[in-house]
Amino acid sequence: MRIIGDIPIYVALDSADAWANPGLFQLNQENLPTAVAGVPPDGFSPTGQLWGNPLYRWEAHRETGYQWWITRLWYCFELYDVVRIDHFRGFDEYFSIPYGSETAAEGHWEKGPGIELFRAVEQALGKREIIAEDLGYMSETVRQLVRDSGFPGMKVLEFAFDSRDTGSASDYLPHNYPVNSVAYTGTHDNETLVSWYQTVTDAERAMVRDYLYDYATPEEQLYKSMIALILRSAAATCIVPMQDWLGLDNSARINKPSTVGQNWRWRLKKTQLSKKLQKEICQLTTRYGRMNWA
Protein backbone atom coordinates (compact mmCIF):
# COMPACT_ATOMS: atom_id res chain seq x y z
CA MET A 1 0.00 0.00 0.00
CA ARG A 2 1.16 3.51 -0.81
CA ILE A 3 -0.14 6.88 0.36
CA ILE A 4 -0.76 9.81 -1.98
CA GLY A 5 -0.49 13.18 -0.26
CA ASP A 6 -2.26 16.22 -1.66
CA ILE A 7 -0.67 19.66 -1.28
CA PRO A 8 -1.99 23.03 -2.45
CA ILE A 9 0.19 25.23 -4.60
CA TYR A 10 -0.46 28.16 -2.22
CA VAL A 11 -0.34 28.70 1.54
CA ALA A 12 -2.55 30.87 3.74
CA LEU A 13 -1.73 34.47 4.63
CA ASP A 14 -1.81 33.59 8.35
CA SER A 15 0.38 30.50 7.87
CA ALA A 16 3.75 29.95 9.52
CA ASP A 17 5.27 29.90 6.02
CA ALA A 18 4.15 33.45 5.17
CA TRP A 19 4.97 34.72 8.67
CA ALA A 20 8.51 33.30 8.65
CA ASN A 21 9.32 34.12 5.01
CA PRO A 22 7.51 37.34 4.03
CA GLY A 23 10.14 38.14 1.42
CA LEU A 24 9.10 35.08 -0.58
CA PHE A 25 5.55 36.38 -1.02
CA GLN A 26 4.00 39.41 -2.70
CA LEU A 27 3.49 41.35 0.54
CA ASN A 28 3.91 45.05 1.30
CA GLN A 29 5.80 46.61 4.22
CA GLU A 30 2.85 45.86 6.52
CA ASN A 31 2.88 42.22 5.39
CA LEU A 32 -0.43 42.61 3.58
CA PRO A 33 -0.77 41.13 0.09
CA THR A 34 -0.41 43.33 -2.95
CA ALA A 35 -2.16 40.65 -5.02
CA VAL A 36 -3.85 37.34 -4.22
CA ALA A 37 -4.54 34.00 -5.88
CA GLY A 38 -7.59 32.68 -7.66
CA VAL A 39 -8.81 31.63 -11.09
CA PRO A 40 -10.71 33.57 -13.76
CA PRO A 41 -14.41 33.28 -14.56
CA ASP A 42 -15.47 30.08 -16.34
CA GLY A 43 -18.51 27.92 -16.93
CA PHE A 44 -18.60 26.81 -13.31
CA SER A 45 -18.24 30.28 -11.76
CA PRO A 46 -19.22 33.47 -13.65
CA THR A 47 -17.10 35.67 -11.36
CA GLY A 48 -14.19 33.26 -11.05
CA GLN A 49 -12.77 31.97 -7.78
CA LEU A 50 -11.18 34.39 -5.32
CA TRP A 51 -8.96 32.23 -3.13
CA GLY A 52 -7.22 35.08 -1.34
CA ASN A 53 -3.85 33.33 -0.81
CA PRO A 54 -0.73 35.49 -1.06
CA LEU A 55 1.16 34.97 -4.31
CA TYR A 56 4.79 33.98 -4.53
CA ARG A 57 7.55 36.43 -5.33
CA TRP A 58 9.11 34.03 -7.80
CA GLU A 59 12.23 36.10 -8.44
CA ALA A 60 13.09 35.76 -4.72
CA HIS A 61 12.61 31.98 -4.89
CA ARG A 62 14.86 31.83 -7.93
CA GLU A 63 17.61 33.71 -6.10
CA THR A 64 17.61 31.05 -3.34
CA GLY A 65 17.65 28.15 -5.80
CA TYR A 66 14.03 27.41 -4.85
CA GLN A 67 15.14 26.20 -1.43
CA TRP A 68 11.75 26.83 0.21
CA TRP A 69 10.02 24.60 -2.35
CA ILE A 70 12.73 21.96 -2.08
CA THR A 71 12.30 21.86 1.69
CA ARG A 72 8.52 21.80 1.43
CA LEU A 73 8.51 18.85 -0.97
CA TRP A 74 11.25 17.05 0.96
CA TYR A 75 9.05 17.12 4.06
CA CYS A 76 6.00 15.98 2.09
CA PHE A 77 7.93 12.96 0.87
CA GLU A 78 8.80 12.15 4.47
CA LEU A 79 5.04 11.73 4.98
CA TYR A 80 3.78 10.38 1.65
CA ASP A 81 4.93 8.05 -1.10
CA VAL A 82 3.44 10.15 -3.90
CA VAL A 83 2.62 13.88 -3.86
CA ARG A 84 -0.18 15.42 -5.91
CA ILE A 85 0.43 19.14 -6.43
CA ASP A 86 -2.78 21.10 -6.74
CA HIS A 87 -3.21 23.77 -9.46
CA PHE A 88 -0.11 22.72 -11.36
CA ARG A 89 -0.87 25.16 -14.18
CA GLY A 90 0.03 27.96 -11.75
CA PHE A 91 3.71 27.09 -12.17
CA ASP A 92 3.44 28.02 -15.85
CA GLU A 93 1.13 31.01 -15.42
CA TYR A 94 -0.69 32.13 -12.30
CA PHE A 95 -3.75 34.36 -11.98
CA SER A 96 -3.05 37.59 -10.07
CA ILE A 97 -5.98 39.45 -8.50
CA PRO A 98 -5.53 42.91 -6.92
CA TYR A 99 -5.81 42.69 -3.12
CA GLY A 100 -9.18 43.96 -1.95
CA SER A 101 -11.08 42.86 -5.06
CA GLU A 102 -14.51 41.40 -4.38
CA THR A 103 -14.32 38.89 -7.23
CA ALA A 104 -11.66 37.32 -9.44
CA ALA A 105 -12.89 39.15 -12.53
CA GLU A 106 -10.28 41.92 -12.15
CA GLY A 107 -7.32 39.56 -12.29
CA HIS A 108 -4.76 38.85 -14.99
CA TRP A 109 -2.20 36.16 -15.84
CA GLU A 110 1.44 36.40 -14.80
CA LYS A 111 4.34 34.13 -15.72
CA GLY A 112 5.43 31.46 -13.20
CA PRO A 113 8.78 29.70 -12.72
CA GLY A 114 8.10 26.92 -15.22
CA ILE A 115 10.25 23.81 -15.48
CA GLU A 116 13.21 25.54 -13.77
CA LEU A 117 11.61 24.93 -10.37
CA PHE A 118 11.18 21.20 -10.92
CA ARG A 119 14.66 20.79 -12.33
CA ALA A 120 15.96 22.30 -9.08
CA VAL A 121 13.75 19.97 -7.02
CA GLU A 122 14.95 16.92 -8.95
CA GLN A 123 18.59 17.94 -8.59
CA ALA A 124 18.16 18.27 -4.81
CA LEU A 125 15.82 15.34 -4.07
CA GLY A 126 16.29 13.00 -7.00
CA LYS A 127 13.39 11.66 -9.04
CA ARG A 128 10.24 11.56 -6.94
CA GLU A 129 6.70 10.53 -7.74
CA ILE A 130 4.53 13.60 -8.32
CA ILE A 131 1.05 13.90 -9.83
CA ALA A 132 0.41 17.15 -11.67
CA GLU A 133 -3.12 18.45 -11.13
CA ASP A 134 -3.30 19.99 -14.59
CA LEU A 135 -7.03 20.77 -14.63
CA GLY A 136 -8.73 24.08 -15.42
CA TYR A 137 -7.95 26.39 -18.32
CA MET A 138 -5.30 24.61 -20.36
CA SER A 139 -2.93 26.33 -22.76
CA GLU A 140 -0.22 24.78 -24.91
CA THR A 141 2.46 26.13 -22.54
CA VAL A 142 0.80 24.34 -19.60
CA ARG A 143 0.67 21.11 -21.59
CA GLN A 144 4.34 21.55 -22.47
CA LEU A 145 5.26 22.05 -18.80
CA VAL A 146 3.52 18.79 -17.87
CA ARG A 147 5.32 16.99 -20.70
CA ASP A 148 8.69 18.47 -19.73
CA SER A 149 8.22 17.49 -16.09
CA GLY A 150 7.40 13.89 -16.95
CA PHE A 151 4.74 13.88 -14.22
CA PRO A 152 1.43 12.14 -14.92
CA GLY A 153 -1.45 14.56 -15.43
CA MET A 154 -5.06 14.08 -14.38
CA LYS A 155 -8.07 12.98 -16.42
CA VAL A 156 -11.54 13.51 -14.96
CA LEU A 157 -14.37 11.62 -16.66
CA GLU A 158 -17.05 14.19 -15.78
CA PHE A 159 -15.22 16.87 -17.78
CA ALA A 160 -15.56 14.86 -20.99
CA PHE A 161 -19.31 15.48 -21.17
CA ASP A 162 -19.75 18.80 -19.34
CA SER A 163 -20.09 21.96 -21.44
CA ARG A 164 -19.14 24.08 -18.42
CA ASP A 165 -15.55 22.87 -18.66
CA THR A 166 -13.34 25.42 -20.43
CA GLY A 167 -10.66 22.93 -21.40
CA SER A 168 -10.63 20.44 -24.24
CA ALA A 169 -13.38 17.92 -23.58
CA SER A 170 -11.78 15.35 -25.88
CA ASP A 171 -8.76 15.20 -23.54
CA TYR A 172 -11.03 13.67 -20.92
CA LEU A 173 -12.60 10.96 -23.09
CA PRO A 174 -11.15 7.65 -21.85
CA HIS A 175 -10.01 6.45 -25.29
CA ASN A 176 -7.64 9.47 -25.34
CA TYR A 177 -6.04 8.91 -21.91
CA PRO A 178 -2.27 8.45 -22.18
CA VAL A 179 -0.61 5.77 -20.09
CA ASN A 180 1.21 8.45 -18.09
CA SER A 181 -1.93 9.80 -16.44
CA VAL A 182 -4.18 9.31 -13.44
CA ALA A 183 -7.86 8.82 -14.28
CA TYR A 184 -10.66 9.85 -11.92
CA THR A 185 -14.45 9.56 -12.16
CA GLY A 186 -14.40 12.84 -10.22
CA THR A 187 -12.17 14.45 -7.62
CA HIS A 188 -12.89 15.81 -4.15
CA ASP A 189 -13.82 19.13 -5.85
CA ASN A 190 -16.46 17.59 -8.11
CA GLU A 191 -20.02 16.49 -7.71
CA THR A 192 -20.53 12.76 -7.15
CA LEU A 193 -21.11 10.81 -10.36
CA VAL A 194 -24.76 10.23 -9.50
CA SER A 195 -25.58 13.89 -8.85
CA TRP A 196 -23.41 15.10 -11.73
CA TYR A 197 -25.36 12.93 -14.17
CA GLN A 198 -28.63 14.26 -12.76
CA THR A 199 -27.61 17.92 -13.07
CA VAL A 200 -26.09 18.01 -16.57
CA THR A 201 -28.29 18.73 -19.59
CA ASP A 202 -30.35 16.19 -21.51
CA ALA A 203 -27.91 16.54 -24.41
CA GLU A 204 -24.96 15.79 -22.13
CA ARG A 205 -26.71 12.74 -20.66
CA ALA A 206 -27.29 11.55 -24.22
CA MET A 207 -23.57 12.00 -24.92
CA VAL A 208 -22.77 9.73 -21.98
CA ARG A 209 -25.15 7.04 -23.24
CA ASP A 210 -23.81 7.33 -26.78
CA TYR A 211 -20.19 7.08 -25.64
CA LEU A 212 -20.96 4.06 -23.48
CA TYR A 213 -23.16 2.65 -26.27
CA ASP A 214 -25.48 1.74 -23.42
CA TYR A 215 -29.16 2.62 -23.66
CA ALA A 216 -30.46 -0.17 -21.44
CA THR A 217 -28.82 0.24 -18.02
CA PRO A 218 -31.24 1.94 -15.58
CA GLU A 219 -30.16 5.48 -14.73
CA GLU A 220 -29.68 4.67 -11.06
CA GLN A 221 -27.09 2.03 -12.01
CA LEU A 222 -25.31 3.93 -14.78
CA TYR A 223 -22.56 5.16 -12.43
CA LYS A 224 -21.21 1.60 -12.41
CA SER A 225 -20.80 1.64 -16.19
CA MET A 226 -18.91 4.95 -15.92
CA ILE A 227 -16.59 3.53 -13.27
CA ALA A 228 -15.84 0.54 -15.51
CA LEU A 229 -15.16 2.97 -18.36
CA ILE A 230 -12.13 4.58 -16.72
CA LEU A 231 -10.89 1.28 -15.28
CA ARG A 232 -10.47 -0.08 -18.80
CA SER A 233 -8.71 3.04 -20.08
CA ALA A 234 -4.96 3.10 -20.74
CA ALA A 235 -4.26 5.36 -17.73
CA ALA A 236 -1.64 3.77 -15.49
CA THR A 237 -3.59 4.68 -12.35
CA CYS A 238 -7.32 5.01 -11.65
CA ILE A 239 -8.84 6.62 -8.56
CA VAL A 240 -12.54 6.19 -7.79
CA PRO A 241 -13.91 8.07 -4.76
CA MET A 242 -15.85 5.91 -2.31
CA GLN A 243 -18.91 8.10 -2.86
CA ASP A 244 -18.96 6.94 -6.48
CA TRP A 245 -18.44 3.28 -5.61
CA LEU A 246 -21.41 3.64 -3.24
CA GLY A 247 -23.57 5.50 -5.79
CA LEU A 248 -24.20 8.42 -3.43
CA ASP A 249 -25.58 11.84 -4.34
CA ASN A 250 -24.24 15.29 -3.49
CA SER A 251 -25.20 14.93 0.16
CA ALA A 252 -21.87 13.04 0.30
CA ARG A 253 -19.90 15.60 -1.71
CA ILE A 254 -16.51 16.36 -0.17
CA ASN A 255 -15.77 19.91 -1.29
CA LYS A 256 -17.32 22.76 -3.25
CA PRO A 257 -14.51 25.05 -4.45
CA SER A 258 -14.37 28.64 -3.24
CA THR A 259 -16.79 28.00 -0.36
CA VAL A 260 -16.21 27.54 3.38
CA GLY A 261 -18.15 26.09 6.27
CA GLN A 262 -19.80 23.00 4.80
CA ASN A 263 -16.88 21.08 3.28
CA TRP A 264 -14.89 17.96 4.23
CA ARG A 265 -17.63 16.60 6.48
CA TRP A 266 -18.49 13.32 4.81
CA ARG A 267 -17.27 10.16 6.53
CA LEU A 268 -17.44 6.55 5.39
CA LYS A 269 -19.34 4.33 7.80
CA LYS A 270 -18.10 0.80 8.33
CA THR A 271 -21.47 -0.63 7.40
CA GLN A 272 -21.41 1.07 3.98
CA LEU A 273 -18.48 -1.02 2.76
CA SER A 274 -20.62 -4.15 2.50
CA LYS A 275 -19.41 -7.62 1.51
CA LYS A 276 -21.39 -7.25 -1.73
CA LEU A 277 -19.61 -4.00 -2.62
CA GLN A 278 -16.21 -5.41 -1.66
CA LYS A 279 -16.82 -8.34 -4.03
CA GLU A 280 -17.92 -6.00 -6.81
CA ILE A 281 -14.81 -3.81 -6.44
CA CYS A 282 -12.62 -6.91 -6.42
CA GLN A 283 -14.25 -8.28 -9.57
CA LEU A 284 -13.95 -5.01 -11.50
CA THR A 285 -10.34 -4.28 -10.53
CA THR A 286 -9.34 -7.88 -11.31
CA ARG A 287 -11.17 -7.87 -14.66
CA TYR A 288 -9.36 -4.76 -15.86
CA GLY A 289 -5.95 -5.66 -14.48
CA ARG A 290 -5.99 -3.09 -11.67
CA MET A 291 -5.87 -5.36 -8.67
CA ASN A 292 -3.06 -4.44 -6.29
CA TRP A 293 -1.74 -7.83 -5.23
CA ALA A 294 1.04 -6.42 -3.02
Side-chain angles (χ1 to χ4, degrees), residues 65-246:
Y66 299 102
Q67 189 57 51
W68 183 88
W69 270 98
I70 290 169
T71 303
R72 184 185 191 198
L73 286 169
W74 166 81
Y75 186 73
C76 287
F77 282 110
E78 291 290 294
L79 302 174
Y80 318 123
D81 303 293
V82 184
V83 172
R84 171 190 176 275
I85 304 180
D86 192 58
H87 196 57
F88 193 81
R89 72 137 12 260
F91 296 106
D92 175 62
E93 289 180 312
Y94 61 91
F95 202 61
S96 175
I97 305 164
Y99 181 61
S101 298
E102 294 186 1
T103 73
E106 299 176 37
H108 64 278
W109 292 105
E110 293 278 354
K111 198 64 184 170
I115 195 62
E116 182 180 81
L117 165 61
F118 298 101
R119 293 284 183 262
V121 170
E122 182 178 336
Q123 186 174 7
L125 304 181
K127 281 193 174 292
R128 299 297 183 103
E129 289 193 67
I130 292 174
I131 297 172
E133 189 271 298
D134 55 347
L135 307 177
Y137 174 73
M138 291 291 288
S139 64
E140 184 52 38
T141 56
V142 178
R143 291 189 176 94
Q144 188 60 51
L145 175 60
V146 176
R147 287 193 292 265
D148 289 344
S149 72
F151 304 148
M154 289 176 53
K155 304 299 178 185
V156 179
L157 180 65
E158 290 181 8
F159 292 170
F161 309 102
D162 198 323
S163 61
R164 293 171 295 180
D165 179 58
T166 55
S168 174
S170 64
D171 289 346
Y172 300 107
L173 290 168
H175 71 273
N176 288 328
Y177 294 174
V179 173
N180 190 33
S181 65
V182 182
Y184 296 73
T185 49
T187 74
H188 59 279
D189 285 333
N190 298 115
E191 296 182 84
T192 66
L193 264 184
V194 167
S195 283
W196 170 82
Y197 187 78
Q198 292 170 347
T199 57
V200 295
T201 66
D202 290 343
E204 289 162 343
R205 281 193 289 273
M207 286 172 59
V208 174
R209 290 281 191 179
D210 289 343
Y211 189 80
L212 289 168
Y213 201 61
D214 181 350
Y215 307 100
T217 300
E219 184 172 306
E220 62 271 15
Q221 294 294 311
L222 198 62
Y223 71 92
K224 295 182 180 180
S225 298
M226 288 189 273
I227 290 173
L229 188 60
I230 70 161
L231 291 178
R232 61 178 179 261
S233 73
T237 304
C238 284
I239 295 178
V240 180
M242 279 306 305
Q243 295 94 321
D244 288 345
W245 281 116
L246 291 164

